Amino acid sequence: MSKTVLLAGGAGYIGSHTAIELLNKDFDVVIADCHYNSSPIVYERLEEITGQKIKHYDIDVADMQAMRQVFEENKIEAVIDFAGYKAVGESVQKPLMYYENNLNTTFSLLHLMKEYNVANIIFSSSATVYGMENQSPLVESMRLGPCTNPYGWTKLMNEQILMDEAKSNTNLSVVLLRYFNPIGAHASGRIGEDPKGIPNNLMPYIAQVASGKLQQLSVFGDDYDTHDGTGVRDYIHVVDLAKAHVLAVDYAAGRKGSDVFNIGTGVGYSVLDMVKAFEKVNSLTIPYKIAPRRAGDIATCYADSTKAKELLGWEAEKNLEDMCRDTWNWQKGNPEGYR
Ligand code: UD1
């Protein structure tokens, strides 16, 4: 019998791609999502891609009473916790909303997992937990924080909460995945990243400049200590990232306690590298101007993902060309996202 994985907040960018990879590996998938930052249209698209019906509950993961129905009606083997707000700037404006939601979603899941004897949880963490002081390549054993914004703190706090819970509840297996910079989209071009309003992140911004929705990219700083002065990041294809979740579900099932993995390619590209690659792969021009640095940014951030390779058997397979092509393929076909 197939094992069922609950994707909490699973209708979003990373969750939707993970649903496909789980279904490809014969897991059953249940999604719980209140669509604060995702569209229900994603279910139709997932059904179109996979040929399977997607079981979903349109409820708030933080609402434990409502979520009880999901645990009651499904024999859940593992939970993947994608349910969090993720806009850095907004988290600075609305810290209470971020702490409240991002922690309560995880609390709700942990309580229900205990009540229904669900042993395995994978958590969406972020490279942001390494703070500003560590030198890349970033290794899991490095000291964490301080974070520069409430969003980052919620990731760090949730990591701690999950690790503490795994110490006390010896039935529990926790896997923390620290994502670097996910970009790209499913090869079908039917699902992808659909940011609310003006994108904060580089790749969706470039994609919207390419489509003519936005006029010009602002490159935040060209005087960093990097090969061309612009910020360097570890961009990872969302499908590679999705596959890491499938491996993490298998890994969690075989053990107890907690473990943490960087999920990045180990290669850093600058903002201008990304602009040039996007232009070349898609044969178009991205107008840009150099702008002041953005507060809270660091020069360079990339992963050492040796641990994920050794223990999860995971490695990024897609390259920069794939990431640029697939981002544009999604944007071109869905200029207004899912709307
Ligand atoms: C950002 C968040 C990080 C979060 C991640 C989620 C900040 C400071 N960090 O990471 O906490 O986990 O998103 O995806 O917001 N850039 C431009 N012009 C733009 C947008 C970005 O030049 O319009 C540059 C940035 O300065 C940076 C690089 O592009 O050097 C990547 O930026 P972004 O995509 O926002 O990701 P991070 O800042 O790495």
Side-chain angles (χ1 to χ4, degrees), residues 194-268:
D194 180 16
K196 260 190 186 173
I198 297 175
N200 299 302
N201 296 114
L202 178 66
M203 207 46 165
Y205 204 104
I206 291 179
Q208 292 196 13
V209 172
S211 75
K213 233 180 133 179
L214 296 170
Q215 246 181 348
Q216 188 181 41
L217 171 72
S218 293
V219 175
F220 297 144
D222 68 345
D223 56 353
Y224 285 106
D225 184 16
T226 62
H227 65 274
D228 61 13
T230 66
V232 166
R233 296 290 183 275
D234 186 334
Y235 295 93
I236 171 174
H237 197 294
V238 66
V239 172
D240 279 334
L241 177 59
K243 288 178 178 166
H245 291 79
V246 181
L247 293 167
V249 167
D250 285 333
Y251 181 82
R255 53 195 304 289
K256 299 293 168 210
S258 53
D259 215 339
V260 52
F261 297 97
N262 284 339
I263 306 295
T265 64
V267 181

